[in-house]
Amino acid sequence: MKFCSHCSATLVQTIPAGDNRLRHVCPQCDTIFYQNPKIVAGTLPVFEGPQQKQVLLCKRAIEPRKGYWTLPAGFMENGESTEQAALRETQEEAHADVTLQQPLSMISIPHIDQVHLFYLADLTEAEFSAGEESLDVQLFTEDDIPWDDIAFATVARTLRYFFKHQNNPNQLKQCLSGTIELSESLQRLEAEEKLKVQKG
């Protein structure tokens, strides 16, 4: 941020009285601009197949991570609940109508100021299609998940938690929580680059 949205003065960074962090502050009108983490809300849609459970994944049509697979999710809008945001994003990205169950995972990513929240959801009908932000949408069994092409560490962690406990409803009611550190994200990207070289 450079300029005050109230009076157009140039902002300065300082620690306001009674605070303990640097903030963008307007020296002219004293407005303090707080910047807070963004919430990404989405679903892990589960379809009960004839023999085993399948999950719905979307191939991203936009950056970051274009061409990689993810769960339907996106940033919350003002005025939404996390449940409303998760349902909206699932409809927008996968044209899928789901029924929300309990929160499945909540993972913090401090180095990009985000929190990712995924709800377990029932996909009662195998009706879906790619939205504007998706190149493709497919159902996958656990054995078919393209693990090397999963877009985000939070998605991979959520998927593994679900498949590990899919037959234990009591365990799934315990929301997975955790943190993705910068070092873990960098290690994952390095591993992907090595894999690309090997395949190339």
Side-chain angles (χ1 to χ4, degrees):
M1 298 182 68
K2 291 186 177 181
F3 302 104
C4 177
S5 59
H6 296 282
C7 69
S8 301
T10 301
L11 299 177
V12 297
Q13 280 197 310
T14 186
I15 300 176
D19 205 335
N20 58 9
R21 292 175 182 261
L22 281 173
R23 309 288 186 185
H24 287 96
V25 179
C26 178
Q28 185 165 301
C29 68
D30 296 324
T31 300
I32 303 171
F33 294 88
Y34 295 94
Q35 294 177 297
N36 303 105
K38 296 189 176 188
I39 304 293
V40 171
T43 65
L44 190 156
V46 180
F47 179 72
E48 293 282 352
Q51 296 182 337
Q52 56 186 314
K53 295 175 182 177
Q54 297 173 291
V55 299
L56 190 68
L57 297 180
C58 304
K59 180 178 278 191
R60 290 179 61 81
I62 59 173
E63 297 292 355
R65 312 292 283 160
K66 181 178 179 180
Y68 285 79
W69 292 92
T70 188
L71 293 167
F75 291 110
M76 287 182 63
E77 299 285 0
N78 289 336
E80 282 186 321
S81 66
T82 55
E83 293 89 348
Q84 289 170 332
L87 289 171
R88 175 182 54 75
E89 288 290 342
T90 303
Q91 178 56 229
E92 289 178 358
E93 295 187 3
H95 294 159
D97 293 318
V98 298
T99 302
L100 293 187
Q101 302 300 322
Q102 71 273 4
L104 182 63
S105 69
M106 183 174 64
I107 304 172
S108 300
I109 319 170
H111 59 278
I112 58 171
D113 304 320
Q114 292 181 10
V115 177
H116 291 192
L117 172 63
F118 292 99
Y119 285 88
L120 188 62
D122 292 330
L123 179 67
T124 55
E125 301 290 337
E127 296 179 359
F128 49 84
S129 61
E132 290 186 7
E133 296 184 359
S134 301
L135 295 170
D136 192 11
V137 183
Q138 291 185 33
L139 288 170
F140 292 91
T141 64
E142 181 178 8
D143 292 338
D144 294 330
I145 295 285
W147 293 108
D148 291 335
D149 294 320
I150 296 298
F152 307 108
T154 53
V155 172
R157 191 177 289 189
T158 299
L159 286 167
R160 293 188 190 281
Y161 181 75
F162 168 74
F163 283 118
K164 181 179 179 180
H165 301 293
Q166 61 181 315
N167 297 316
N168 186 344
N170 289 331
Q171 179 64 43
L172 288 181
K173 287 180 181 177
Q174 300 179 31
C175 182
L176 169 69
S177 62
T179 301
I180 301 289
E181 300 292 352
L182 176 58
S183 58
E184 181 178 344
S185 296
L186 291 176
Q187 288 171 2
R188 190 165 184 267
L189 290 174
E190 288 174 359
E192 288 176 4
E193 288 302 318
K194 288 179 182 178
L195 186 63
K196 287 179 183 177
V197 171
Q198 291 171 359
K199 288 181 177 179

